[in-house]
Amino acid sequence: MHSYVASRFAYQRRQSIQVKAGDLSIGGNAPICVQSMCTTPTQDVEATIKQSIQLAEAGCEMVRITAPGIKDAEALGPIRKGLNTAGFQHIPLCADIHFMPKAAMIAVEHVEKVRINPGNFADKKSFAVLEYTDQEYQEELERIHERFTPLVKRAQELGRCLRIGSNHGSLSDRIMNRYGDTPHGMVESAMEFIHIAESINFQDIVISMKSSNPKVMIQAYRLLTARLYDHGCNYPLHLGVTEAGDGEDARVKSACGIGALLEEGIGDTIRVSLTEDPCAEIPVAQELADYYNNYSLPRIDSINTLDDQIDPFHFERRACTTTRINNLEIGGDHTVLVISADNAHAEKPDIASPINATVDGITLLSIDSDNPKITLLEHLKSIPDVTVIGVQKPGALGYLRAYRLLHLCILESHKQHNTPLHPIVLYLEELDNLLILSSICGNLLADGIGDAIYLNHSAVPCPWSYTILQAMKTRMTRADYVACPSCGRTLFDLMEVTADIKSITDHLDDVTIAIMGCIVNGPGEMADADFGYVGSGPGKITLYQGKTAVVKNIPTSEAQEQLIALIKSAGKWRERS
């Protein structure tokens, strides 16, 4: 498999083909663009037009609208006309399709882009365990070809583009049984549909690999990028972390995934999914897009061909020796620490027993030479004991590549001179932007780099540190929530219910609760959740423990009380202190 980037030590934006959605260019040399999704019922045409205009005025460059049924798809016609009349003909619309190829065939007549989910466009999702022979598998692919080809042909005739959007939470039973619930399965699911489109010479395609787990999302996009290099056609990529939730946690989780990939030059259009008013998504997405649209680093010839000896497609925490800081053990198999220069300001009140330490015992290195590898190796020779090492000034490399080089130099020094594998502290002193800190730390933590995190020059160093670690599922110190953004499919008020559930469970430790508006991605996207609260019909909720539905179709009025009972029965409940 081809490397997913030209070099892990040199920034270069990935060059994709350019796709047009109406007047909007995606990929190629076009800037990273931002988009969002309406939360109104699609058949409420006036409300959907109004919200689309609000999004456009907030800076949204593409508006996605759900079309779960025929009538919803038909409503896209008057919605498009209404936006044109209001002077927003330049804002392309994207129809979001699940389960219904017929709805897609209607939607493509009215909008500039159609998103289909290969996990449920023609396949089944019932968590069935089946064994497919090669012949049976091929027969299923032929059936998908028959169902997908008409949409591709019509999109080609009308000059529309398509988004093939694999989702970790809705891989089909067929893909799950052959590839598992994995990034590999997500890539294979998309590639099947790409091959079908290409069989009739259609390449106006954007691809996405979404997950609520930033680690899974990062690995999936890296795998896809490498696969597309080998395939010979670099399609533009839409980035997003699904079901991120709300508030600061959701913004950090989104940046940990989206920003981590933008740091590597990957991504052409982005959406930040918040369980909030959709207009709140735009400033977050714009901040990331603006930063990376203007991002550039000089190439350093002495290192741009190096191999940092990390497998970017599979997570494995970097090995290192255990040492101590102020009687606290760091490195080895120990949890990632949060370090503060001032213990008086270290503890976040709603985090139980945080581990903190001063900067004593940390060696901070500067990288400002033309040959940074040689300089770092010389520095390492002068460090006699097992000490925690960080980068004080990353020079032209930037923090991401400086830490990759530090990891490689420690590894090489260990092999050449039998020196210790020093623990690494993520010390990002020059940054005070939470989204960019999350982008860099998210990438490094996804690679297994980082035994401690030190953000003391940030506005709120310890709370930000814990939030980043929580987002990357590196260290869970409080209840975690997987909550989808609302859309026209949602069966209850997601913002209100999410706030209510948080208010009664936010004192719990190391518990993940999923709050999902409908069943499209619900059961699958809850793969990492301990408990799930999923809309299963109007006024009905189904509660899950793991992937198992344990209380089905109960009235909304009883659901929160029964969720507490379910958490108690699992031994995960404790009373608020």
Side-chain angles (χ1 to χ4, degrees), residues 61-372:
E61 297 171 89
M62 178 185 294
V63 176
R64 184 154 52 108
I65 302 171
T66 188
I70 300 297
K71 291 183 178 179
D72 302 290
E74 291 171 344
L76 294 172
I79 291 169
R80 177 72 275 174
K81 290 179 182 177
L83 284 172
N84 292 350
T85 301
F88 291 88
Q89 63 275 4
H90 61 289
I91 299 295
L93 297 181
C94 176
D96 194 51
I97 304 294
H98 295 271
F99 304 113
M100 291 196 69
K102 289 182 179 179
M105 291 302 296
I106 296 170
V108 76
E109 300 292 325
H110 306 299
V111 299
E112 290 72 26
K113 184 179 180 184
V114 175
R115 181 263 173 139
I116 63 99
N117 183 338
N120 59 35
F121 185 80
D123 259 344
K124 295 179 180 179
K125 181 68 176 177
S126 57
F127 298 97
V129 178
L130 302 170
E131 292 294 331
Y132 289 87
T133 66
D134 289 344
Q135 180 178 345
E136 290 170 337
Y137 201 91
Q138 185 59 38
E139 289 172 353
E140 287 296 298
L141 288 179
E142 291 171 1
R143 183 178 65 83
I144 292 171
H145 194 289
E146 291 176 1
R147 299 193 76 181
F148 184 46
T149 299
L151 175 63
V152 177
K153 288 183 176 179
R154 190 57 179 151
Q156 191 173 49
E157 292 166 357
L158 295 171
R160 315 298 200 204
C161 67
L162 300 177
R163 169 150 76 96
I164 298 173
S166 286
N167 193 297
H168 187 228
S170 55
L171 293 176
S172 68
D173 291 337
R174 179 177 56 82
I175 289 290
M176 290 276 286
N177 280 280
R178 178 152 291 198
Y179 299 102
D181 189 13
T182 63
H184 186 192
M186 295 168 68
V187 172
E188 291 301 325
S189 182
M191 292 303 300
E192 290 177 354
F193 280 70
I194 290 169
H195 289 310
I196 294 170
E198 291 177 339
S199 70
I200 57 172
N201 300 315
F202 184 85
Q203 291 187 320
D204 292 324
I205 298 169
V206 180
I207 312 171
S208 62
M209 298 272 121
K210 291 193 174 184
S211 172
S212 62
N213 183 331
K215 278 182 186 170
V216 172
M217 176 256 199
I218 292 167
Q219 290 169 10
Y221 278 102
R222 287 173 171 177
L223 276 170
L224 174 68
T225 304
R227 182 69 178 275
L228 290 175
Y229 272 123
D230 289 339
H231 179 65
C233 188
N234 292 325
Y235 293 103
L237 303 180
H238 168 102
L239 305 185
V241 175
T242 62
E243 286 84 32
D246 63 357
E248 184 176 271
D249 285 359
R251 286 158 174 77
V252 168
K253 185 183 289 187
S254 296
C256 280
I258 296 170
L261 291 162
L262 294 177
E263 272 282 327
E264 300 186 317
I266 296 171
D268 304 287
T269 177
I270 63 175
R271 188 240 173 146
V272 173
S273 300
L274 302 180
T275 311
E276 300 177 22
D277 186 298
C279 289
E281 299 178 354
I282 306 306
V284 188
Q286 283 179 327
E287 187 171 342
L288 287 169
D290 290 346
Y291 184 85
Y292 290 103
N293 277 328
N294 297 294
Y295 193 65
S296 64
L297 289 171
R299 293 175 64 87
I300 299 177
D301 293 337
S302 64
I303 64 169
N304 65 15
T305 60
L306 294 178
D307 177 4
D308 62 1
Q309 301 183 43
I310 285 176
D311 181 353
F313 308 124
H314 301 90
F315 174 77
E316 183 177 357
R317 187 172 171 187
R318 169 186 171 272
C320 69
T321 308
T322 300
T323 188
R324 301 182 77 85
I325 295 181
N326 286 2
N327 298 317
L328 294 172
E329 292 191 333
I330 180 172
D333 295 328
H334 296 284
T335 188
V336 177
L337 300 187
V338 170
I339 296 176
S340 171
D342 183 356
N343 281 336
H345 299 91
E347 185 170 349
K348 186 175 180 183
D350 62 350
I351 293 176
S353 302
I355 298 176
N356 307 291
T358 68
V359 292
D360 295 342
I362 298 175
T363 299
L364 298 172
L365 305 177
S366 298
I367 304 177
D368 53 9
S369 69
D370 293 332
N371 203 321

Side-chain angles (χ1 to χ4, degrees), residues 552-565:
K552 298 181 180 180
N553 299 319
I554 57 175
T556 303
S557 58
E558 301 175 11
Q560 291 183 27
E561 183 178 341
Q562 293 212 32
L563 174 63
I564 293 173

